[in-house]
Amino acid sequence: MDNLTFVGTATTLLRLGSFTVLTDPNFLHRGQRAYLGKGLWSKRLTEPSMQPGDLPPLDAIVLSHLHGDHFDRIARRELVREQPVITTTKAAAKLRTWDFDAHGLETWESETLTKTGEAGPETLSVESLPGIHARGVMGALLPPVMGSLLTHRVGGAVARRVYLSGDTLTGDHLDEIARRHPEIDVAVVHLGGTRVLLHTVTMDDVQGVDFLRRVQPTKAVPVHYDDYGVFRSPLSAFTRRAREAGFGDRVQTVQRGETVLL
C-alpha cells in the first residue's frame, strides 16, 4: 500500500508501489542549528524520527532546494551516494561537488525511474513545478526552490500523483500547476509561516488554505510546521482554518515517526 512516513521538518519517506523516495533530508538533532545562508541560523526544536542509518534502500531523493533545514550536514556526511538526487539545477551543481549523483531540473522538466514488475513496467516520474520562496529583495537572497509532482504508473496506467509543494508561497503559479495537473491525489504541503528578516518565506495557515483552494488535492498532508524557531504559524492554526473553509476532511495530519496511507 502506498504510504508516507514523516521523519520531521519536510523529510518524509514515500513508498509508491515498489519505489521508495526520501524527501528533503534533514537529520539535525534537537538543539543543533541549521544554516539558512547569509549568516542566518535557526535552532532545531524537535528530534527527527530517523537518521540516515535507519533508512531503507532508496530509489531516489527529491530535494526542493539546498537549505540547511532541507539538506543538512548529517545528510551530506552520511547519506549513501548511489541513488539519484533530483533537485534544482543550482542545488544539483553543488551536490555533485559532494559526490552525489545529482540531477538538476528546470521548471516543467521531468525525470523518470523505471522498474519491471509482475504487472508490467512500473515507472515513477518526477516533474519540477514552479515555487516561490520569497518575493522582492528577499527572493534574490534565498536559493531557487521547486515543487515536485511524483507520478507513479503501473503498466502505463497512472496509479497515484503526489505533489510535494516545496518551500513556496501561494500565488498564480499554483493556478498554472492546477491547470496542467487537475487531478492531484495527495499534496505534501510545506507550512510553518517561516519568518526570515521580517519576511514570510513559507506558507502560513492563511496561505495554506489558499493553496488548497487553488490546487484542490484529494488529500493534503501538512509538514514543515514546528521544527525550527523561524516557523511561526502552528499546525493547529492551519487545521482549524482548513475546517472552517470546508477542507477539513481532506487534511491528513501525521506525527513524526508515524506512517499514513496515501
Side-chain angles (χ1 to χ4, degrees), residues 1-196:
M1 298 290 287
D2 294 349
N3 61 64
L4 176 151
T5 300
F6 185 35
V7 178
T9 319
T11 311
T12 71
L13 268 176
L14 289 168
R15 299 173 182 86
L16 300 172
S18 64
F19 293 97
T20 302
V21 175
L22 178 71
T23 70
D24 293 286
N26 179 211
F27 299 105
L28 293 177
H29 296 285
R30 182 188 296 113
Q32 293 183 312
R33 296 192 303 166
Y35 181 57
L36 304 180
K38 312 301 179 184
L40 300 173
W41 298 80
S42 186
K43 183 182 291 186
R44 182 154 192 170
L45 307 176
T46 63
E47 186 68 20
S49 66
M50 290 184 183
Q51 288 295 298
D54 302 320
L55 296 172
L58 301 173
D59 294 291
I61 296 171
V62 176
L63 174 63
S64 63
H65 66 304
L66 196 55
H67 236 175
D69 61 332
H70 290 257
F71 195 100
D72 59 34
R73 54 191 177 273
I74 297 176
R76 175 182 173 182
R77 183 176 65 244
E78 298 184 19
L79 284 174
V80 300
R81 264 55 175 177
E82 285 75 14
Q83 74 284 299
V85 182
I86 303 172
T87 185
T88 65
T89 55
K90 185 172 183 178
K94 185 64 175 180
L95 288 166
R96 285 193 289 268
T97 69
W98 299 338
D99 298 323
F100 284 94
D101 179 21
H103 300 213
L105 298 179
E106 298 288 353
T107 302
W108 307 120
E109 287 185 341
S110 64
E111 177 144 341
T112 299
L113 310 174
T114 301
K115 292 186 175 183
T116 301
E118 294 181 359
E122 186 178 357
T123 63
L124 182 69
S125 65
V126 181
E127 180 181 355
S128 174
L129 303 182
I132 297 175
H133 208 339
R135 296 182 170 90
V137 174
M138 195 65 191
L141 296 177
L142 295 177
V145 64
M146 73 178 196
S148 302
L149 180 68
L150 278 57
T151 303
H152 177 225
R153 293 180 173 88
V154 179
V158 173
R160 197 169 308 276
R161 299 178 181 90
V162 178
Y163 171 22
L164 311 173
S165 76
D167 278 12
T168 188
L169 301 175
T170 190
D172 294 345
H173 59 293
L174 298 180
D175 297 335
E176 179 61 15
I177 292 170
R179 186 187 71 79
R180 293 183 182 226
H181 300 292
E183 297 178 351
I184 302 295
D185 299 301
V186 182
V188 180
V189 189
H190 295 200
L191 296 171
T194 308
R195 295 281 289 176
V196 177

Side-chain angles (χ1 to χ4, degrees), residues 3-15 49 186-189 191 219-227 235 238-239 250-262:
N3 61 64
L4 176 151
T5 300
F6 185 35
V7 178
T9 319
T11 311
T12 71
L13 268 176
L14 289 168
R15 299 173 182 86
S49 66
V186 182
V188 180
V189 189
L191 296 171
K219 178 182 291 188
V221 181
V223 299
H224 192 278
Y225 49 78
D226 68 351
D227 298 276
L235 176 62
F238 171 72
T239 55
R250 301 194 191 191
V251 176
Q252 171 71 72
T253 59
V254 57
Q255 301 301 311
R256 277 174 292 276
E258 184 183 4
T259 298
V260 294
L261 296 178
L262 298 179

